Amino acid sequence: MGRGTLRIYLGAAPGVGKTYAMLSEAHRRVERGTDCVVALVEHHDRPRTEVLLHGLEQVRRSEISYRSAVFTEMDVDAVLERAPAVALVDELAHTNVPGSRNAKRWQDVEELLKAGIDVISTVNIQHLESLGDVVESITGVRQRETVPDEVVRRADQIELVDMSPQALRRRMAHGNIYQPDKMDAALSNYFRPGNLTALRELALLWVADRVDEYLQQYRGEHNIRSTWQARERIVVGLTGGPEGRTLIRRASRMAAKGSGSEILAVYIARSDGLTSASPKELTVQRTLVEDLGGSFHHVIGDDIPAALLEFARGVNATQIVLGSSRRKTWQYVYGPGVGATVARESGPDLDVHIVTHEEVAKGRGLPIARGARLGRARIIWGWLVGVVGPLLLAVVLRTMEDAPGLANDVLLFLFLTVAAALLGGLRPALASAAVGCMLLNYWFTPPTHTWTVQDPENLVAIVIFFAVAVAVSSVVDLAARRTHQAARLRAESEILSFLAGSVLRGETALDALLERVRETFAMESVALLERSSDVEPWTRAGAVGPAPVSRPDDADVDMPVGDNLALALSGRVLPAEDRRVLGAFAAQAAVVLDRQRLVGEAEQARRLAEGNRIRTALLAAVSHDLRTPLAAIKAAVSSLRSDDVAWSDEDEAELLEGIEDGADRLDHLVGNLLDMSRLQTGTVTPLIREIDLDEVVPMALGGVPEGSVELDIPETLPMVAVDPGLLERVVANIVENAVKYNPGREPVAVAASALGGRVELRVVDRGRGVPDEAKDRIFEPFQRYGDAPRGAGVGLGLAVSRGFAEAMGGTLDAEDTPGGGLTMVLTLAAAGETGHAEAELPARVTS
């Protein structure tokens, strides 16, 4: 029995209608007579979805007890026993209750597929494992239930269920997604327009990449070489000359005219002799194309126009951008040039743009010496000159009345031998020497028409002729071989220089390195395989290309790196001379793999160290700063409960006031600790809206003594784009800190002013100030400056304030107050300065 097919409805967000679409498809199949059952579908009390379950057979669920509760999960055995043609399985990324047959629902689906059952399932874009960090940065919520991307990519059919953010929010407001008690919280948090727009873009881009994979696979299976202009891909041909930057920028402007266009810059190095490319210039051009959102590719090809066209058709490019030739007029005797050849052979499916630049016709230097890799035409001409040439020369000399003499005949035959060596190499030259020797002996050495030589001098001349011909042929062939070896070494050195450059630039993307290996050696797929020991199976640490191998034995070329690491290539067998460069790539791949793991371990160690520092500081804070107000509260309460003392009304009021002050201090300390933990975990997601400062700042002054602050906020001040709640906390912390360290001679000044597209709020105290070297340190968590008394706080107020300010797109800095003291400068974005796109939305989301 064959494997079943998997169809997935992919949604950008909950509520777009994935389950509804899946159930509608099930009804259509049942009407056509297909045996279709519901293995597991959750309607989440959505009435329209629940109605669609009517009329469909539902397989019983298994009940699992966990922590004194009973849960239901899909009964895989029951579905296998029922053996339907099609099974509906909702929420592919769901994590099963502990005690289930499999840990994840997608593993249950794999069992159904192996049993030959077709499965229709659903999943949201935020549940794809590779997008977890991206989704968390957008929504502020970490998705705990994920499904590996490869599981979804292997689906036979993926259908995107899409809906605009405005329509989805209307559906939610009408109660079609969540219950009324959850509606407001969802609309103001996860389902904000900015979040939904970003998730929708993620889903569209992911599906577009999947469609591109399908297209490449189809073109490869059907050996389609012509370009299908489904998407604009612009290939920029680089020579390493100074005109490359102009070509890249021109291609970028062309790509900007069409949405989704892609730029691929390619430099082709000839394996039989390199052009005079500047490695420094190529590095600059590589950086430029990557900054513009394109990709840089480096390949080797003997025929540059053919290699460029092969690359362009291989990536399904639609346009090629080349620069006008830098050749001088006389240099066109060597051929029409790359641009003219590419334009002539590109065909109707590729547009070729020839871009003018400042280096046109300024020359490219002397022609590069040709190598020894001779084409078929040259070899044929070499044999013609070496074998047919002496025969024609003998006929011509025999028809002449005045023969030039034996000495001149020998020189003429020697000339043909040298010409054969230059054209076809050693073998045609040796054949020419042998044929010439026999013709001289038979036609031109007395007695003629015989193979004997009467005069010893003529015999010496023939022998010397043959020896000189063989020697000249050997020297010419050896020179050609040395030229080829030098050219190849130059090509290898260029590849190795690029490899060394990537090391110096700190490039750690393993997939990018493997892709460069695949392009350099024209392979179909490349995989880096590793294993923990000789008896363990191989696993893929990284792979590029279709159908990468899982074992070195299955590869066309494998390059071991130590005992437990190997680089495996599929596509063709490489010559032995290429394995040296491949070994360098393999060594670099091992270094990149180790570097990636070391970076991960270093990051984990940094987080552990930071967490340990925070825990140590928190323990110190809890052990003293939090116990101090608790001790005061307990002492006051114990005094009030004591029967030994008769407290007066004034005494009781004083003790109650002490309890209230201690509780307020305790609440403030705990609040700052919680705010710091939110900042450490990155879960602060402000809801930005436009508001006047005079609506927020006065509310933030409620915790300071009356008369300790002097407020100056002009009515003409522009509105600011902030989260009012976070702004209030920031201002309150700054002002309370300023009042705490202000000597009291004059009040703390809080003044606001507009500066360009920003609004500044300055909090000025007349305390003893802070030295310049300590101004940044006072914003670190659990830091007190100088001789601040214990119990005055845990040192989190300014750290929380700066974190909240940066979360709102603002800044918080410390400056010296003229005349002594410290000034805190809070800079915020004025309303209308956050971009036109956000102005159309009711709220702006900042993560």
Side-chain angles (χ1 to χ4, degrees):
M1 180 179 295
R3 178 182 173 87
T5 61
L6 176 61
R7 177 173 182 172
I8 293 179
Y9 286 94
L10 177 68
V16 294
K18 303 179 303 299
T19 306
Y20 190 92
M22 179 178 65
L23 293 173
S24 300
E25 175 65 20
H27 278 283
R28 286 191 292 270
R29 296 197 180 198
V30 169
E31 291 174 359
R32 295 196 299 264
T34 304
D35 183 14
C36 184
V37 301
V38 176
L40 190 144
V41 169
E42 299 286 355
H43 56 75
H44 299 293
D45 296 326
R46 297 170 186 170
R48 296 187 178 181
T49 303
E50 188 174 3
V51 167
L52 282 178
L53 284 170
H54 298 162
L56 295 176
E57 178 186 350
Q58 300 188 44
V59 179
R60 72 175 188 274
R61 301 187 184 186
S62 62
E63 295 183 351
I64 302 174
S65 298
Y66 179 68
R67 292 185 177 178
S68 303
V70 178
F71 300 89
T72 61
E73 294 288 358
M74 182 175 67
D75 192 334
V76 179
D77 290 327
V79 179
L80 293 175
E81 182 180 354
R82 171 63 176 79
V86 180
L88 307 185
V89 182
D90 204 6
E91 298 178 358
L92 186 63
H94 172 74
T95 300
N96 293 330
V97 176
S100 301
R101 182 189 186 106
N102 295 303
K104 303 288 289 187
R105 185 166 293 169
W106 65 263
Q107 294 171 329
D108 296 337
V109 169
E110 282 294 318
E111 289 196 34
L112 300 183
L113 294 173
K114 290 179 180 178
I117 300 174
D118 295 343
V119 177
I120 304 178
S121 188
T122 65
V123 70
N124 283 328
I125 191 68
Q126 67 264 26
H127 293 297
L128 294 181
E129 196 169 80
S130 65
L131 300 179
D133 295 339
V134 179
V135 173
E136 183 180 9
S137 67
I138 294 172
T139 65
V141 178
R142 182 68 180 183
Q143 298 295 331
R144 300 187 181 276
E145 293 189 329
T146 60
V147 58
D149 290 44
E150 186 61 27
V151 174
V152 183
R153 289 183 181 275
R154 286 201 307 263
D156 300 275
Q157 185 174 352
I158 299 176
E159 183 171 335
L160 178 65
V161 183
D162 189 24
M163 181 176 290
S164 68
Q166 293 76 14
L168 183 56
R169 286 171 60 86
R170 283 196 300 270
R171 287 193 63 190
M172 178 168 290
H174 294 159
N176 294 333
I177 301 177
Y178 291 151
Q179 297 299 318
D181 58 336
K182 300 180 180 179
M183 188 187 308
D184 292 338
L187 286 172
S188 59
N189 290 284
Y190 193 88
F191 285 82
R192 292 196 296 269
N195 287 3
L196 297 177
T197 301
L199 291 174
R200 187 187 190 196
E201 183 178 11
L202 276 179
L204 292 170
L205 290 175
W206 195 92
V207 174
D209 288 340
R210 179 59 176 154
V211 171
D212 194 46
E213 290 179 11
Y214 277 133
L215 180 60
Q216 295 293 347
Q217 181 181 353
Y218 179 85
R219 285 166 51 84
E221 292 175 352
H222 293 77
N223 196 26
I224 298 174
R225 307 304 299 165
S226 60
T227 299
W228 287 2
Q229 300 184 3
R231 179 179 179 183
E232 288 292 341
R233 285 186 176 87
I234 304 174
V235 171
V236 184
L238 301 179
T239 65
E243 77 282 358
R245 305 182 203 181
T246 303
L247 302 184
I248 294 171
R249 294 190 180 97
R250 182 69 180 92
S252 177
R253 292 195 297 271
M254 293 168 59
K257 296 178 181 179
S259 178
S261 299
E262 185 179 357
I263 303 175
L264 301 94
V266 56
Y267 171 68
I268 300 175
R270 295 183 59 177
S271 62
D272 60 346
L274 299 175
T275 56
S276 53
S278 167
K280 180 179 179 180
E281 182 64 28
L282 282 176
T283 302
V284 172
Q285 293 172 15
R286 176 193 182 95
T287 304
L288 176 61
V289 72
E290 291 176 350
D291 290 343
L292 293 175
S295 57
F296 185 90
H297 304 266
H298 176 235
V299 299
I300 293 178
D302 295 328
D303 188 340
I304 292 181
L308 180 60
L309 289 171
E310 181 71 17
F311 175 85
R313 294 192 174 102
V315 299
N316 198 27
T318 58
Q319 302 181 58
I320 297 178
V321 176
L322 299 172
S324 296
S325 178
R326 288 185 283 127
R327 292 181 173 187
K328 293 181 179 296
T329 303
W330 63 269
Q331 290 177 316
Y332 279 96
V333 299
Y334 297 107
V338 174
T341 305
V342 170
R344 183 180 67 248
E345 298 179 0
S346 61
D349 53 350
L350 268 174
D351 296 334
V352 179
H353 302 267
I354 305 296
V355 179
T356 58
H357 49 85
E358 296 179 353
E359 303 297 322
V360 174
K362 291 187 176 180
R364 300 181 57 178
L366 295 175
I368 302 298
R370 293 172 292 178
R373 282 192 176 178
L374 306 175
R376 178 179 299 179
R378 285 190 55 181
I379 294 176
I380 293 175
W381 275 106
W383 282 102
L384 289 176
V385 172
V387 177
V388 180
L391 295 175
L392 295 176
L393 177 61
V395 171
V396 171
L397 293 176
R398 290 292 295 176
T399 58
M400 296 178 61
E401 295 183 359
D402 296 329
L406 181 61
N408 292 325
D409 294 340
V410 169
L411 292 177
L412 290 175
F413 279 100
L414 182 61
F415 170 77
L416 290 178
T417 301
V418 173
L422 292 174
L423 287 173
L426 179 61
R427 293 181 180 179
L430 293 178
S432 177
V435 172
C437 183
M438 289 187 294
L439 291 175
L440 284 172
N441 183 11
Y442 190 79
W443 289 100
F444 301 101
T445 305
T448 59
H449 305 291
T450 64
W451 297 108
T452 60
V453 179
Q454 182 178 357
D455 191 347
E457 294 181 359
N458 294 337
L459 179 61
V460 172
I462 293 175
V463 171
I464 293 176
F465 160 76
F466 185 79
V468 171
V470 171
V472 171
S473 301
S474 301
V475 170
V476 171
D477 183 72
L478 181 62
R481 289 178 182 274
R482 293 290 182 263
T483 301
H484 166 66
Q485 292 173 359
R488 181 169 186 85
L489 290 174
R490 291 176 62 188
E492 292 179 0
S493 66
E494 182 175 88
I495 295 174
L496 294 176
S497 69
F498 271 103
L499 198 58
S502 67
V503 176
L504 296 176
R505 290 191 296 270
E507 295 180 357
T508 57
L510 181 61
D511 289 345
L513 178 63
L514 297 181
E515 181 65 27
R516 187 176 302 172
V517 174
R518 189 173 74 92
E519 292 175 351
T520 301
F521 296 101
M523 288 293 181
E524 294 180 0
S525 64
V526 178
L528 183 63
L529 307 177
E530 64 173 346
R531 59 182 178 181
S532 56
S533 65
D534 294 342
V535 297
E536 295 294 328
W538 291 92
T539 59
R540 284 198 291 261
V544 295
V549 299
S550 301
R551 300 186 309 161
D553 296 339
D554 299 333
D556 294 319
V557 181
D558 70 284
M559 175 61 66
V561 187
D563 296 331
N564 300 319
L565 199 66
L567 192 64
L569 292 77
S570 299
R572 65 187 181 92
V573 178
L574 288 180
E577 55 191 2
D578 287 339
R579 295 183 65 88
R580 180 171 51 203
V581 178
L582 183 60
F585 273 111
Q588 176 64 8
V591 171
V592 169
L593 182 61
D594 290 340
R595 182 182 298 169
Q596 284 183 344
R597 290 174 176 170
L598 288 174
V599 169
E601 293 174 0
E603 178 64 19
Q604 184 178 7
R606 187 194 66 79
R607 291 179 180 177
L608 291 175
E610 179 68 16
N612 185 61
R613 188 183 72 83
I614 295 294
R615 282 192 295 271
T616 303
L618 180 59
L619 180 62
V622 171
S623 64
H624 186 280
D625 296 294
L626 296 183
R627 293 180 63 185
T628 300
L630 282 175
I633 293 173
K634 180 174 176 58
V637 171
S638 299
S639 299
L640 288 174
R641 289 174 54 87
S642 176
D643 297 332
D644 300 334
V645 180
W647 301 102
S648 64
D649 294 341
E650 291 79 6
D651 293 336
E652 289 185 357
E654 185 176 352
L655 290 173
L656 291 173
E657 183 180 357
I659 293 173
E660 184 178 10
D661 289 342
D664 288 341
R665 288 176 57 194
L666 191 60
D667 178 71
H668 181 73
L669 293 175
V670 172
N672 275 338
L673 287 173
L674 293 177
D675 288 338
M676 196 66 234
S677 68
R678 293 171 60 200
L679 288 171
Q680 291 290 335
T681 56
T683 58
V684 177
T685 306
L687 182 60
I688 306 297
R689 67 185 183 90
E690 298 178 0
I691 195 170
D692 288 316
L693 277 181
D694 55 9
E695 297 181 30
V696 179
V697 176
M699 298 174 60
L701 305 181
V704 298
E706 186 176 355
S708 61
V709 176
E710 182 179 301
L711 194 60
D712 180 18
I713 299 181
E715 296 181 356
T716 58
L717 205 64
M719 301 177 73
V720 291
V722 296
D723 184 314
L726 294 185
L727 178 60
E728 183 179 345
R729 295 293 304 277
V730 172
V731 176
N733 280 344
I734 297 173
V735 174
E736 289 175 7
N737 189 77
V739 171
K740 185 189 304 180
Y741 293 99
N742 198 49
R745 295 191 302 270
E746 31 182 308
V748 172
V750 179
S753 60
L755 182 62
R758 314 289 288 177
V759 174
E760 288 187 352
L761 183 70
R762 308 178 77 87
V763 180
V764 183
D765 68 57
R766 295 293 179 179
R768 54 193 179 89
V770 176
D772 291 338
E773 62 272 12
K775 282 187 172 62
D776 284 333
R777 194 165 62 248
I778 62 176
F779 292 103
E780 297 178 2
F782 303 104
Q783 295 291 323
R784 292 189 187 89
Y785 175 66
D787 56 354
R790 300 293 298 180
V794 294
L796 287 177
L798 292 180
V800 170
S801 298
R802 171 172 275 188
F804 283 174
E806 292 176 350
M808 294 185 293
T811 59
L812 178 61
D813 299 297
E815 298 178 356
D816 292 327
T817 301
L822 188 68
T823 298
M824 290 290 177
V825 182
L826 175 62
T827 305
L828 303 168
E833 297 296 328
T834 56
H836 299 289
E838 291 86 349
E840 300 176 359
L841 301 176
R844 177 173 179 263
V845 178
T846 304
S847 299

